[in-house]
Amino acid sequence: MTTDNVNFPMDSAVGDLKTAADFQLTQLAGKGDMGAFEEIYTRHHRRVYSICLRMLQNASEAEDLTQDVFIRAWQKLPTFRAESAFSTWLHRLAVNVVLSRHRSGQSERKWIQDDELALGQAAGHSPHPAVAMDLESAIGRLPDGSRQVFILHD
């Protein structure tokens, strides 16, 4: 993998070194460089998996969708214009892949609960004040719709 002839903008979107390296890698991978894409995967797969897992609450489905996100990223890399950080672009792509899977009916779970009491039930169970609340556990107890809003906001 060489970066000799790769020019990248040094503005707010790619100002720091990690983002500049991501930009170089995306330019190379967008031209078909599998080594560059492997490096992108190595750098970002844990974050993408975490997004999928938070949205789905199902580890095996999150693993499958993480792979789908990177397949889609490979296909769409030539369209990445560096108007934002690559990690931001990839995050949005991951969210879109998960949402698309649910819209297409491929998910076995119901996406949004119709039960108006669901939010009250989630808030009704509070742990003992001496016990520190685990964020992942708290996110997991949210109804699907509320969890989506939280994750998209986060």
Side-chain angles (χ1 to χ4, degrees):
M1 173 176 76
T2 64
T3 58
D4 300 338
N5 296 328
V6 176
N7 296 320
F8 57 93
M10 288 301 290
D11 60 14
S12 62
V14 291
D16 67 346
L17 292 177
K18 181 181 180 196
T19 306
D22 278 346
F23 180 78
Q24 288 179 326
L25 290 168
T26 60
Q27 294 300 296
L28 293 168
K31 295 175 183 173
D33 185 330
M34 285 299 287
F37 188 74
E38 288 175 18
E39 180 64 24
I40 289 170
Y41 178 83
T42 301
R43 288 173 176 244
H44 297 281
H45 79 275
R46 286 177 291 217
R47 181 173 181 191
V48 170
Y49 172 76
S50 178
I51 292 165
C52 293
L53 183 61
R54 285 182 181 174
M55 291 178 74
L56 300 168
Q57 296 295 304
N58 179 320
S60 66
E61 192 175 359
E63 289 173 11
D64 289 344
L65 281 179
T66 298
Q67 296 305 312
D68 290 349
V69 168
F70 281 98
I71 290 169
R72 183 78 51 85
W74 174 254
Q75 295 167 341
K76 297 219 177 256
L77 264 175
T79 67
F80 176 65
R81 297 184 310 256
E83 292 173 353
S84 63
F86 176 72
S87 59
T88 303
W89 181 83
L90 189 60
H91 180 277
R92 185 71 239 169
L93 184 64
V95 169
N96 287 344
V97 167
V98 173
L99 292 175
S100 176
R101 170 74 59 98
H102 284 287
R103 281 188 209 116
S104 70
Q106 294 176 355
S107 175
E108 296 174 10
R109 299 184 64 196
K110 188 174 180 184
W111 188 239
I112 299 175
Q113 288 186 353
D114 294 328
D115 185 3
E116 293 179 17
L117 300 176
L119 187 58
Q121 292 169 349
H125 181 277
S126 59
H128 189 274
V131 178
M133 183 182 293
D134 179 2
L135 180 60
E136 292 299 322
S137 174
I139 292 171
R141 287 194 307 263
L142 289 172
D144 287 345
S146 297
R147 185 173 54 247
Q148 288 298 87
V149 170
F150 179 81
I151 291 168
L152 291 173
H153 180 270
D154 180 47

